[in-house]
Amino acid sequence: MSYIDQLAEYERLTSTTKAAPEQAPEGASLDVDAELARLAALDPVAYERARKQASERLGIRAQILDQLVRAKRTDANGAAGNGTVMTLEPPEPWPAPVAGAWLLDELAAAVRRYVVLADAAADAVALWILHAHCHDAATISPILAIVSAEKRSGKTTLLDLLQQLTPKPMPGANVTAPALFRAMEKWRPTLLLDEVETFLSPENDELRGVLNSGHRRATAGVIRCVGDDHEPRRFATWAPKALALIGRLPATLTDRSIQVALKRKRPDETVERLRLGNLPPLLEELARKAARWATDHLAALAAADPATPSGLHDRARDNWEPLLAIADRAGGGWGERGRRAAVALSGDGAVEDRSIGSMLLADIREIFDAEPSAEIVSDEEGQITRRIRSADLASALARMEGRPWVEWGRQRKPITPTAVASLLRPYEIAPRTLRFGQETPKGYDRRWFDDAFSRYLQPHQTATPQHGNEFNGLHQNQTATSGDHVAVVNSHKSLKNNGCCGVAVGSPPTGADDEWDMDL
């Protein structure tokens, strides 16, 4: 049927059903399923023109109608079993200008209404939602990493909420790399992926690479060969992304993320239930107002150069720049709130992106400072230094409470000197033959670590027991507080006081090429 015929058919049908349901003849009823099927068959232009009257006739909001119609659409041939055609529609901008501070206040309040999380985390989510609308103004696109220690902590609820508030949302609980980069090339969606831990494994290098590539606008793309002649083509991967999972992302994705930690609700904590079949009109209104604010301020955001807190490392500064530009532009105290959230979630005290390599360096530094087997010696030139045998270093690591070294590798046995040497190889540190009295075993001199310590560790920084648990699968969560500062620094006792150490649960991946372990 042609476009004109479709419009004529629509006019013919609606001319007899324009009356409100209560005005319809007695006994008459509207076949909702048939009406949805008819709307699904219209092309985008015809559907847009029919959308408002159809939603009024069916007694549902236009946004819900869109979702029902999308579910009804089949592929272009109408063949069963081939999935449904996807259409991602941006929200219609609000007709009047919107105050940015008010909008961010409302977005943060909406997040806290349905999800248990710290104030700093709610502020970060509100800024990220507006970043999704202002995405064309950014040069960096941080991933919103929604993590928890256990299921039923609100991750899916937060993703459902983001689906109502972000432009062109594309939710999913599984995706392949080819489908992902083709979807981003076609729609520039807001990607909302749940249960990421089930399909983003260390072996899924291609998918991880596609997600990594979308961090910087200048390099957001992948090259693939297409067609019978295998012509190389570039597929854009520049799109806002939110990933929800139990545990933590691989190190390279964590480095490109702003991490929001969720906790299961206590009996004394109350939040409203987000009912997808009965969404409050405020959510659609906020999405439209966010779209309008983005339209009005896009040029100013593209030219912004916001100051970032000194407590952030270089990659964290990159991640927060587009959000802080939005906070400064919104005003109303949001510049300060955004910076407090940045320090709380991504500052040096949070240490959420510690790799297994930097954890090892921090533990070795502590062993050199506190372990009796690290002997103080005078070298051939009379300089005082500390040295430790390779076997003693591995043994001291395996005694550290809350670390993965006690059950290392697939065999879940204490880490060996060979495994320690393998982990240190990327830092250009290797054991050598050293003299300890009359013995000449393999060992390490503390001076060989000075360069790595200065590059990869903060001064006097110590890896926390929390991170050993995260790596082994325990995934302890950051404590949520009522204030804006939520970074928690766990204390770490000296090795001298550890005595008999506990056993860390779980088995980390092994191998120097494993990105989950060895991202430096």
Side-chain angles (χ1 to χ4, degrees), residues 17 21 24-32:
T17 58
E26 184 177 354
S29 62
L30 181 63
D31 189 337
V32 176

Side-chain angles (χ1 to χ4, degrees), residues 410-439:
R410 293 183 176 87
Q411 301 301 317
R412 302 185 64 171
K413 294 182 178 180
I415 194 168
T416 64
T418 300
V420 174
S422 177
L423 290 173
L424 290 174
R425 190 175 300 122
Y427 301 96
E428 299 181 349
I429 301 171
R432 305 178 196 172
T433 300
L434 297 174
R435 179 167 294 281
F436 294 84
Q438 301 301 315
E439 300 178 355

Side-chain angles (χ1 to χ4, degrees), residues 128 131-132 135 141-146 159 162 180 184 189-193 207 209-216 220 236-244 253 256-258:
W128 188 88
H131 162 69
H135 201 250
S141 183
I143 296 169
L144 183 66
I146 305 168
L159 284 180
L162 293 178
L180 182 62
M184 287 190 286
T190 300
L191 186 66
L192 307 172
L193 292 184
L207 180 57
V210 170
L211 292 170
N212 282 338
S213 70
H215 186 245
R216 290 182 174 273
T237 56
W238 180 246
K241 307 171 186 69
L243 310 179
L253 285 173
R256 292 164 169 81
S257 301
I258 292 172

